[in-house]
Amino acid sequence: MMIYCWLSFQEGQPIYLAVKGVVFDVTSGKEFYGKGAPYNALVGKDSTRGVAKMSLDPADLTHDIVPAFIENYAAAIQSIT
């Protein structure tokens, strides 16, 4: 994931977002995911928790998906992919 993180912050490079271990190229939505854009906090990392909770809080932008979280947000997580 480190390569995706590095690329996501370089001007003119593809922008990647990962959810549930799947990496999405969101470059076409640069106005939403590019540098300074509203959802830029989601790029370059596993954003499963943040997307499921519809949160941009840095504490929610982590790969740490514990069983209790999965139980509480199972429907939201399943609808992502």
Side-chain angles (χ1 to χ4, degrees), residues 13-75:
Q13 295 296 319
I15 303 169
Y16 295 108
L17 176 140
V19 177
K20 285 180 55 181
V22 177
V23 178
F24 297 93
D25 182 345
V26 295
T27 308
S28 64
K30 186 175 182 176
E31 63 275 8
F32 299 106
Y33 299 101
K35 188 174 182 178
Y39 299 111
N40 181 255
L42 298 171
V43 304
K45 61 182 69 76
D46 184 335
S47 299
T48 304
R49 181 188 298 253
V51 171
K53 292 178 72 176
M54 297 195 307
S55 169
L56 296 176
D57 184 334
D60 292 327
L61 302 177
T62 176
H63 68 281
D64 182 22
I65 306 298
V66 295
F69 173 80
I70 292 172
E71 288 177 25
N72 290 333
Y73 293 94

